[in-house]
Amino acid sequence: RLLGPDYALLSPEYRELPKHLSIPTEEPFKVLFSLGGGGDLNVLAELVESLIQQPGYEANQMVLQVVIGPSSQNRERLLGLAEQGVVELLIGKQSLFTYFCSASLVVGAAGGSVYELARLHVPVISFSMSDNQQTPQSWLDEIGRYFHLPSCLDDDVRRLAQLILLVKEQYARVQRLFSESKVQLDGRG
């Protein structure tokens, strides 16, 4: 069976990285939310709404970006948040490579992007949205993906928002954690 991080095939842009790809550390702290190409965006809208209501959230210190995939459902709440200037929507993007490279943290579904982000050493908080995203935690640990939730239910949203702020507060430590992994992906399978 060709499963797991040793067999991850990535787009060419992830294979030939600059020698010293660095994740931005300066303000503002950029959080990119994504469910991939589809999914119920109400999950991300609830998460963003919870985040901006948390004590310690300061809009001038964080940039929130949300990927709207071609098969995404329930865009209305996020469109409203974008109109209020709370989030920047990324609609119709063929590649997320440059957005991933500039993100301080990515939060979202545990699909194929987990491997792309592992290759870039970008910190991630992932969660499973479907059966095909149920990845053994041991595989995620091997590629340095330590923050994974089996789901993102209503009860989890507030705690997830708090975790995002904690990651921001402890970012230097989190960056070191995510830059080290047992398996180094080259994206060639």
Side-chain angles (χ1 to χ4, degrees), residues 23 104-106 114 117-126 137 140-148 163 167 170-184:
I23 298 167
S104 306
L105 173 68
V106 175
V114 167
L117 293 160
R119 175 77 172 125
L120 298 173
H121 302 288
V122 175
V124 177
I125 301 172
S126 62
Q137 185 63 49
L140 295 171
D141 290 347
E142 285 182 357
I143 60 170
R145 309 290 90 183
Y146 304 109
F147 300 156
H148 177 73
L163 179 58
V167 167
Q170 298 293 324
Y171 193 62
R173 294 175 68 194
V174 170
Q175 260 190 316
R176 282 192 305 274
L177 178 68
F178 277 82
S179 68
E180 299 172 7
S181 61
K182 292 179 187 174
V183 175
Q184 295 295 318

Side-chain angles (χ1 to χ4, degrees), residues 9-17 97 119 186-188:
L9 293 173
L10 304 178
S11 297
E13 58 200 343
Y14 292 92
R15 294 182 199 146
E16 305 301 329
L17 299 177
F97 179 78
R119 175 77 172 125
D186 64 8
R188 299 180 197 283

Side-chain angles (χ1 to χ4, degrees), residues 96-151:
L96 295 176
F97 179 78
T98 57
Y99 298 99
F100 285 164
C101 288
S102 68
S104 306
L105 173 68
V106 175
V107 178
S113 62
V114 167
Y115 296 106
E116 294 168 345
L117 293 160
R119 175 77 172 125
L120 298 173
H121 302 288
V122 175
V124 177
I125 301 172
S126 62
F127 47 84
S128 298
M129 295 287 294
S130 61
D131 289 342
N132 70 334
Q133 294 175 345
Q134 297 294 333
T135 304
Q137 185 63 49
S138 60
W139 288 2
L140 295 171
D141 290 347
E142 285 182 357
I143 60 170
R145 309 290 90 183
Y146 304 109
F147 300 156
H148 177 73
L149 306 171
S151 64

Side-chain angles (χ1 to χ4, degrees), residues 1-184:
R1 294 177 38 178
L2 301 178
L3 297 173
D6 290 336
Y7 302 100
L9 293 173
L10 304 178
S11 297
E13 58 200 343
Y14 292 92
R15 294 182 199 146
E16 305 301 329
L17 299 177
K19 286 266 188 229
H20 297 289
L21 181 70
S22 62
I23 298 167
T25 57
E26 68 279 348
E27 297 289 336
F29 188 80
K30 190 180 289 186
V31 183
L32 188 145
F33 298 88
S34 176
L35 298 179
D40 184 353
L41 294 174
N42 280 330
V43 171
L44 297 183
E46 288 176 34
L47 182 53
V48 168
E49 290 167 348
S50 181
L51 177 62
I52 64 175
Q53 294 172 10
Q54 293 299 313
Y57 173 78
E58 296 181 41
N60 63 337
Q61 293 183 5
M62 293 182 84
V63 172
L64 307 179
Q65 296 179 313
V66 179
V67 175
I68 308 290
S71 299
S72 297
Q73 302 167 351
N74 300 317
R75 302 171 183 209
E76 297 78 20
R77 284 169 67 189
L78 286 171
L79 291 170
L81 289 167
E83 286 175 9
Q84 297 170 32
V86 174
V87 297
E88 174 190 346
L89 301 181
L90 305 177
I91 302 173
K93 303 300 178 190
Q94 295 297 315
S95 170
L96 295 176
F97 179 78
T98 57
Y99 298 99
F100 285 164
C101 288
S102 68
S104 306
L105 173 68
V106 175
V107 178
S113 62
V114 167
Y115 296 106
E116 294 168 345
L117 293 160
R119 175 77 172 125
L120 298 173
H121 302 288
V122 175
V124 177
I125 301 172
S126 62
F127 47 84
S128 298
M129 295 287 294
S130 61
D131 289 342
N132 70 334
Q133 294 175 345
Q134 297 294 333
T135 304
Q137 185 63 49
S138 60
W139 288 2
L140 295 171
D141 290 347
E142 285 182 357
I143 60 170
R145 309 290 90 183
Y146 304 109
F147 300 156
H148 177 73
L149 306 171
S151 64
C152 186
L153 304 173
D154 292 338
D155 296 342
D156 301 321
V157 170
R158 182 182 56 78
R159 289 185 295 217
L160 186 50
Q162 292 170 338
L163 179 58
I164 291 168
L165 292 176
L166 183 60
V167 167
K168 180 185 182 304
E169 181 182 309
Q170 298 293 324
Y171 193 62
R173 294 175 68 194
V174 170
Q175 260 190 316
R176 282 192 305 274
L177 178 68
F178 277 82
S179 68
E180 299 172 7
S181 61
K182 292 179 187 174
V183 175
Q184 295 295 318

